[in-house]
């Protein structure tokens, strides 16, 4: 059987019970009706990005809306483990690409932070387009949960304030102080935060603050990695670590 | 000390001994002289993409050529281990990106093969622009060896003919037959080949041929990965596996 098409339904619209009918509207409905030409009585898959997914039967469909009856609903609990990446902000053509990879590689979240050597100004709030990128990537790869997305102003102090939400905090450090390779094991237990510097690297003072706050320095290997390569490397190790555990 | 600038010197020009002077010409020389404004008596790093690197002093420099004296030469032996990816051909805007990642993540090589579901025709020979991408990526990340690059016509039979060059062969298979997760360990001993299908997936007959030839089916995890994500995932596990070993 061919894989079902998946559509995003905002969490606030999610049905409480099987048998309920929801109305999909906007671009997702247009995608379903006009582009994919979905028909009455067909089955589609919906997800809300917060762990809920389900199979729905099309009861009625028009150009800009679709009425869908929930046939089978499932809910996946919040993960207790997983990797969040804190990435030093920079102007980059590769940001959209990285956001897609975070979804595909099952990252828990992305935090953009303003580093001393960051080029360009960090937006105050995550842009709607970034979340849209998450949604599209999740539709493609079957993810049930959209990664968390935050921007943290206030430089490294802003990051330090968030550290308490994590069980383990690491600093991806390209210097002699980091002898320990980051491993899948380190990323497989609990909520983990890995901080990646901006393209220009960490400022020594920034790194010192993180180290003094208990962020463990780790190396990502002998190669000099671009920021987005460092990110997918960490995400890949974490995704393997999760499989190894189960 | 700031990291030295690196330039590519074709292997056929590599000096036999320290003290010899080589002449760098063409775009690399232009990059050195005109763009980076390197001056006489400065030190630069050269590499030949086949394991040799060295520090050189600039004896003379003009717009399109530089005469460089070898001060310190090093040679790195062929790796006995490492990952080669065989990737099902497809039209993709992300190929250049992937070629860069293969260098950064220390992949041994890339083989493009024509799958049944490949869209577009595989070129007969690796394009010069692909190798140039390798060179630029290697300059940025300090790699001493350019990955091997091949195109294999003849579909999956062409791939099977190459299997003998590898110690371990795997098939990244998204189906129920693949229960075994690909692990860093599997990629850390000997020369390994991992076959990734085209965007449309493997044809059953193709997969059967590979399985019958002894390619071990492995899963890359629960998520549906795009071809270039599957590639960087495998490369990341291999790079970690290499660190873990040493």
């Amino acid at each position: 059987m061919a894989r079902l098409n998946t559509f995003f339904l905002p969490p606030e619209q999610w049905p409480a019970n099987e048998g309920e009918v929801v109305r999909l509207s906007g671009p997702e409905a247009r995608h379903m009706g006009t582009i994919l030409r979905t028909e009455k009585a067909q089955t589609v898959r919906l997800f809300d990005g917060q762990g809920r997914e389900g199979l729905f039967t099309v009861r009625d469909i028009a150009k800009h809306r679709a009425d869908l009856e929930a046939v089978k609903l499932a809910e996946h609990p919040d993960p207790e483990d997983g990797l969040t990446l804190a990435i030093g902000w920079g102007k980059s053509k590769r940001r959209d690409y990285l956001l897609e990879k975070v979804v595909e590689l099952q990252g828990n979240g992305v935090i953009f932070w303003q580093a001393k050597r960051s080029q360009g100004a960090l937006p105050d709030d995550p842009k709607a387009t970034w979340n849209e990128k998450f949604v599209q990537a999740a539709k493609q790869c079957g993810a049930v949960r959209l990664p968390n997305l935050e921007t943290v102003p206030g430089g490294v102090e802003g990051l330090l304030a968030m550290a308490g939400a994590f069980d383990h905090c690491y600093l991806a450090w390209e210097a002699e102080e980091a002898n320990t390779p980051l491993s899948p094991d380190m990323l497989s237990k609990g909520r983990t935060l890995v901080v990646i510097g901006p393209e220009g690297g960490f400022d020594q003072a920034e790194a010192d603050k993180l180290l003094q706050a208990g962020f463990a320095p780790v190396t990502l290997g002998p190669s000099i990695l671009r920021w987005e390569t460092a990110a997918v490397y960490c995400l890949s190790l974490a995704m393997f670590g999760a499989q190894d555990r189960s």
Side-chain angles (χ1 to χ4, degrees), chain A residues 7-17 20-22 45-56 70 72-75:
Chain A
F7 303 89
F8 175 71
L9 183 71
E12 54 271 19
Q13 288 182 243
W14 199 260
N17 300 294
E20 286 182 30
V21 175
V22 296
R45 178 177 169 271
L46 301 188
F47 77 112
D48 77 342
Q50 295 188 0
R52 291 176 292 190
E53 63 169 329
L55 299 181
F56 291 68
K72 189 157 178 56
L73 298 175
E75 191 159 351

Side-chain angles (χ1 to χ4, degrees), chain A residues 89-91 95 113-123:
Chain A
W89 180 257
K91 299 181 192 185
R95 197 175 311 116
W113 63 286
Q114 187 84 31
K116 266 280 185 305
R117 294 183 190 157
S118 283
Q119 291 186 329
L122 181 65

Side-chain angles (χ1 to χ4, degrees), chain A residues 173-175 178-182 218-226 233:
Chain A
W173 188 225
E174 270 182 34
N179 293 324
T180 310
L182 182 68
V218 288
T219 173
L220 303 185
S223 192
I224 294 158
L225 302 177
R226 290 172 184 271
Y233 177 76

